Amino acid sequence: MDSNDRCCDECGLPEEHFALCEDRCMLQSCPKCTFLLQLYGTGCGNVRVYYLCRECYDERIKRGFVEP
């Protein structure tokens, strides 16, 4: 099992199904990435990392929230 495998936390599709820009930034602001990186502070200095495909991210935005 490859520990680098990432899946969309919403729909579960693996990263290999999505387009990523050359440096694999996966940020919402990058127009080339369809697999996105979300960072959320947990309130005690820790950061939790989530991965979302563009479709799931856009769906969450439509519903008015992006917090997992």
Side-chain angles (χ1 to χ4, degrees), residues 16-33:
E16 67 207 31
H17 286 258
F18 302 106
L20 299 166
C21 77
E22 284 172 30
D23 56 3
R24 294 166 59 84
C25 71
M26 294 190 288
L27 298 174
Q28 305 94 293
S29 56
C30 179
K32 295 179 183 169
C33 291

Side-chain angles (χ1 to χ4, degrees), residues 1-65:
M1 187 191 294
D2 189 355
S3 61
N4 290 328
D5 282 352
R6 298 186 183 103
C7 298
C8 174
D9 284 311
E10 188 89 356
C11 68
L13 260 180
E15 181 188 305
E16 67 207 31
H17 286 258
F18 302 106
L20 299 166
C21 77
E22 284 172 30
D23 56 3
R24 294 166 59 84
C25 71
M26 294 190 288
L27 298 174
Q28 305 94 293
S29 56
C30 179
K32 295 179 183 169
C33 291
T34 58
F35 194 66
L36 308 170
L37 181 66
Q38 290 278 134
L39 299 175
Y40 293 104
T42 58
C44 53
N46 296 324
V47 172
R48 172 81 204 270
V49 180
Y50 291 89
Y51 299 100
L52 293 169
C53 66
R54 177 79 60 185
E55 218 169 282
C56 289
Y57 179 83
D58 289 344
E59 201 51 48
R60 284 179 173 211
I61 289 291
K62 269 191 254 173
R63 294 196 311 243
F65 66 95

